[in-house]
Amino acid sequence: MKRVFRAYWDILGVMFLEAPVMVVSALVGIVGMGALVPFGIFVNQNVFDGGLAVARGELAFADYQIFLVMLVGVLLLPEILRMFISVYVDQRSQLVLRTAYRERILKKLKKMKYEHFENEGSMEIIDKAFNRVNQAIWHLWPSYVHLFLSATVASIGTLAFLASVRWWLVLTAIVPFVLELRFAGQTSMGIYKEMETYWGKERKYGLLGGFLRSRAFVKELKAFGNSEFLIDTYEKRLNERNREYESFFFKNLRRILMNGNITRIGAIGNAVILLVLFANGEISVGMFIALTQVVLTVLYNFNGLSGISFIFQAAPHHVNTFEFYDKFLNLSDESEGVSGELPSEFDIEFRDVWFRYPGTERDILQGLSFKVRSGERASIVGENGEGKSTAIKLLLGLFSPDKGEILVGGRNLDDYPLSVRTKIFGPVFQDFTRYSITLGENIGIGNVDESQNDGKIRTAAAKGKALEFSEKLEKGFDTLLGRDFEGGTDLSGGQWQRIAISRAFMGDKPILLLDEPTSQLDPMAEADLYHEFADMVENKTALFITHRLGSTLITDKIFVIHGGKITESGTHADLMSSDGLYSQMFNAQKQWYLQEG
């Protein structure tokens, strides 16, 4: 419960900051709703008893009318207050709290280490924090505050009336509530803990369901005619999860059915006791009707003791949600660095770097060491799966080495904050992103500080060879790309690749990193593009990552990676004469780059 109280401290702090008058008026209204319950007992008693007294001539109708007016108020005010809470307080609170908490989450995502997005444990934390916290906040404020405060006030007033009849009636009302509270709390905590284990199973079929309704995947599904197979796989995974959940449900059915029944049995017992007291003439007909109505429909419903019990039953779920929210905020962030300045030189050095991906047992890099001088063009080549792209991820700071260090400009990479690293590196990835925004925006986001500078966008497009086809588009750089929105224009893979390359030239980054940048081009077009790169990267440090050797003839140095470390290095001529792995790879691929004549 300590975590729930901390959550309330935070939630109400946000609300008092943004809408203090609304919060105070809501609390007054909620307490008023609770007070109307015992006041309703008083009114109902006098309406029944007074009505009989009027019929017997013992009470003047003029004196009786006030109770009829009170009855109208007791019937109307709860609905008015409930409408105020649900229509105004609830909706306004959700806007304020959703904005505040989403802003925190998005700020955290911005500075969080990339490695968490490739770790299933971290992804569970991110997913649950992002998707559950809004629902938990809605329940805690104003829903549960409404329920708890009004139920507490209503219960105290009702118990006071019961005590006025017989003091021990308080015990017959409280004991079932205490028993259920303890039982329900233990049961709910166990159930919620077990339900948390279903996240992985739900993700397993949920991701596949996303593929089946995504335009990016449907094209291939149609082409291969494999939709039926994947639908069957989806259904099998879903049914597997459902069978396990059914087993879980029936295992806990007895405990689930017990929740609420203890207080229900208590309500019936108290109603019988009141009937006996009325039959013996110990309470009036008005008191009997008013108390019986409250005992059966209020005290053991969500307006009374059962409402308080419900909060304690649901509390474990919200404790769990906010624990994931805490874990999310505590996920490690990017290094803040110690240097806010760009280095004077832009050499790159890996010193005995070891790395394995989180949750795996194999070292991808096993003592990787190499150096690229400032202004030098170098290629890292090797077979697929040897760690070439992993080296780029480490160089960009997406992951941190398990051992060893990476230097840029003679300083450890961790010395540079993210804001500086984004000004040093211009990356082009094999799986570059195709944004459903305009052509100019697709290029401009390579340097958000200059994203509105049309001149720099045009210059970057010219360097990346995207200017040629942009001039053929009807709206030029204002053309909306992609098919996600009406009026969008899709491009070929090669044209998208040119946009990705142009993006890397935004901001005149001193180090260009090209990770398999020609994967969507045929070998001859790839060789041509690499020759263009030779001019594009003039006076820049450039690192080419590839398993196809079209880049090696235009680079100053070649590093061959094998077994997670550099096994050969030198110029093309040096490596061909050594008759090693590079020579074998080049000879196996050279026919790709030969052209008749």
Side-chain angles (χ1 to χ4, degrees):
M1 290 304 296
K2 183 188 294 186
R3 184 61 187 89
V4 173
F5 290 134
R6 281 170 47 210
Y8 271 115
W9 181 263
D10 188 36
I11 290 169
L12 292 177
V14 173
M15 290 307 305
F16 270 111
L17 184 65
E18 294 292 331
V21 175
M22 185 196 73
V23 174
V24 173
S25 59
L27 291 174
V28 171
I30 288 168
V31 171
M33 288 181 67
L36 284 170
V37 173
F39 182 67
I41 298 174
F42 168 77
V43 170
N44 284 327
Q45 176 193 355
N46 282 278
V47 166
F48 285 108
D49 289 343
L52 292 174
V54 169
R56 290 193 300 264
E58 299 172 357
L59 180 69
F61 185 75
D63 295 329
Y64 176 68
Q65 286 178 317
I66 185 65
F67 297 112
L68 297 178
V69 173
M70 289 181 181
L71 179 63
V72 173
V74 167
L75 294 174
L76 289 180
L77 279 176
E79 290 305 315
I80 294 173
L81 291 173
R82 193 172 291 113
M83 185 180 298
F84 168 69
I85 299 297
S86 62
V87 174
Y88 176 63
V89 176
D90 190 0
Q91 301 303 318
R92 174 83 190 281
S93 297
Q94 288 313 296
L95 288 174
V96 172
L97 293 171
R98 186 181 297 117
T99 300
Y101 277 80
R102 278 291 164 92
E103 184 178 0
R104 291 181 189 175
I105 289 173
L106 292 174
K107 284 183 177 179
K108 174 64 180 181
L109 289 171
K110 177 182 175 181
K111 63 183 182 178
M112 192 169 64
K113 279 189 173 181
Y114 168 83
E115 63 187 52
H116 297 300
F117 293 95
E118 294 199 20
N119 181 289
E120 187 174 24
S122 296
M123 283 305 300
E124 179 177 4
I125 293 171
I126 295 169
D127 180 71
K128 289 181 177 179
F130 191 83
N131 291 315
R132 292 185 181 181
V133 72
N134 280 338
Q135 183 185 26
I137 290 169
W138 176 81
H139 280 91
L140 293 175
W141 172 266
S143 179
Y144 284 1
V145 170
H146 177 192
L147 182 59
F148 183 79
L149 281 182
S150 61
T152 300
V153 173
S155 298
I156 291 172
T158 303
L159 292 173
F161 269 102
L162 289 173
S164 69
V165 176
R166 291 290 185 275
W167 68 266
W168 45 265
L169 283 175
V170 174
L171 294 179
T172 62
I174 289 290
V175 169
F177 162 71
V178 172
L179 290 174
E180 178 162 305
L181 187 65
R182 184 178 180 205
F183 175 80
Q186 293 174 340
T187 299
S188 298
M189 181 62 81
I191 290 174
Y192 281 126
K193 282 183 177 179
E194 188 168 348
M195 286 180 68
E196 287 302 328
T197 64
Y198 284 84
W199 180 84
K201 301 178 180 70
E202 292 170 352
R203 187 167 185 255
K204 189 176 179 181
Y205 72 80
L207 287 174
L208 184 54
F211 297 157
L212 291 169
R213 62 178 182 268
S214 170
R215 184 175 69 88
F217 291 88
V218 167
K219 179 172 63 175
E220 185 169 307
L221 296 179
K222 294 287 187 182
F224 285 102
N226 52 20
S227 297
E228 194 66 35
F229 169 78
L230 292 177
I231 290 172
D232 288 343
T233 304
Y234 173 83
E235 290 178 346
K236 287 176 183 176
R237 292 180 179 181
L238 179 59
N239 289 333
E240 178 186 350
R241 180 265 187 196
N242 287 344
R243 283 193 298 271
E244 292 188 24
Y245 186 79
E246 286 175 7
S247 173
F248 153 79
F249 179 80
F250 285 115
K251 182 180 69 176
N252 293 283
L253 183 60
R254 180 181 60 83
R255 291 187 292 173
I256 293 171
L257 290 176
M258 282 295 292
N259 283 353
N261 285 333
I262 297 176
T263 51
R264 290 188 183 98
I265 293 170
I268 295 171
N270 279 296
V272 171
I273 292 172
L274 291 172
L275 180 61
V276 171
L277 293 174
F278 169 69
N280 293 332
E282 299 182 41
I283 57 175
S284 68
V285 63
M287 180 66 80
F288 167 69
I289 293 173
L291 283 179
T292 302
Q293 180 184 23
V294 170
V295 163
L296 291 177
T297 64
V298 176
L299 190 61
Y300 294 106
N301 206 305
F302 285 112
N303 292 322
L305 295 173
S306 186
I308 300 172
S309 175
F310 174 79
I311 291 175
F312 280 88
Q313 292 176 48
H317 175 68
H318 301 304
V319 170
N320 182 272
T321 294
F322 275 93
E323 283 180 353
F324 276 103
Y325 180 68
D326 288 342
K327 291 176 183 178
F328 168 72
L329 294 180
N330 289 325
L331 291 174
S332 56
D333 294 333
E334 294 278 358
S335 170
E336 295 184 0
V338 295
S339 174
E341 301 293 329
L342 292 172
S344 56
E345 295 290 324
F346 297 98
D347 52 292
I348 300 168
E349 184 175 6
F350 277 58
R351 290 182 180 173
D352 191 29
V353 171
W354 290 71
F355 177 75
R356 69 172 60 178
Y357 285 99
T360 65
E361 298 181 355
R362 184 173 76 90
D363 289 314
I364 301 296
L365 303 181
Q366 303 178 32
L368 182 66
S369 298
F370 67 88
K371 184 172 184 178
V372 180
R373 295 192 300 272
S374 185
E376 193 172 42
R377 296 172 298 191
S379 291
I380 297 181
V381 303
E383 299 290 350
N384 287 327
E386 292 290 353
K388 304 183 299 299
S389 293
T390 299
I392 292 296
K393 290 179 180 178
L394 292 172
L395 184 55
L396 289 170
L398 302 180
F399 291 93
S400 298
D402 297 324
K403 189 168 65 174
E405 60 179 344
I406 301 172
L407 307 176
V408 175
R411 300 194 65 163
N412 192 294
L413 183 65
D414 288 339
D415 288 348
Y416 302 107
L418 178 62
S419 59
V420 173
R421 295 203 305 270
T422 56
K423 295 177 182 177
I424 295 175
F425 300 113
V428 181
F429 298 106
Q430 175 182 357
D431 50 349
F432 53 83
T433 303
R434 309 179 186 201
Y435 297 99
S436 293
I437 52 182
T438 68
L439 171 59
E441 290 168 335
N442 260 286
I443 296 173
I445 57 174
N447 181 9
V448 291
D449 294 336
E450 300 289 348
S451 60
Q452 302 300 315
N453 190 322
D454 294 338
K456 291 198 172 182
I457 290 174
R458 190 176 184 85
T459 299
K463 289 182 179 179
K465 305 294 184 179
L467 186 61
E468 299 171 4
F469 66 82
S470 69
E471 294 175 340
K472 299 177 183 178
L473 297 173
E474 183 178 354
K475 295 183 180 179
F477 286 103
D478 293 325
T479 301
L480 178 65
L481 301 185
R483 294 290 179 82
D484 291 325
F485 303 104
E486 185 177 354
T489 300
D490 214 350
L491 302 175
S492 69
Q495 288 173 323
W496 275 109
Q497 202 147 37
R498 292 290 187 177
I499 292 173
I501 293 168
S502 300
R503 194 180 296 156
F505 280 100
M506 280 295 297
D508 196 27
K509 310 294 177 64
I511 300 178
L512 292 181
L513 305 174
L514 300 109
D515 183 9
E516 303 276 11
T518 57
S519 60
Q520 299 197 30
L521 302 179
D522 62 74
M524 295 305 301
E526 175 194 29
D528 291 339
L529 183 56
Y530 275 125
H531 281 90
E532 293 174 14
F533 280 151
D535 297 326
M536 294 178 191
V537 301
E538 187 176 1
N539 300 322
K540 296 180 183 293
T541 305
L543 191 57
F544 299 86
I545 305 296
T546 183
H547 71 282
R548 302 199 319 195
L549 306 186
S551 68
T552 57
L553 294 176
I554 57 98
T555 53
D556 304 308
K557 186 180 292 185
I558 302 164
F559 299 99
V560 181
I561 185 171
H562 181 68
K565 56 187 175 183
I566 301 299
T567 56
E568 301 176 46
S569 64
T571 64
H572 171 73
D574 294 336
L575 296 179
M576 289 300 292
S577 63
S578 67
D579 196 27
L581 178 59
Y582 175 83
S583 175
Q584 297 172 22
M585 291 176 63
F586 189 85
N587 286 326
Q589 297 180 19
K590 66 181 181 181
Q591 71 273 13
W592 296 351
Y593 304 101
L594 295 178
Q595 189 171 19
E596 185 177 353

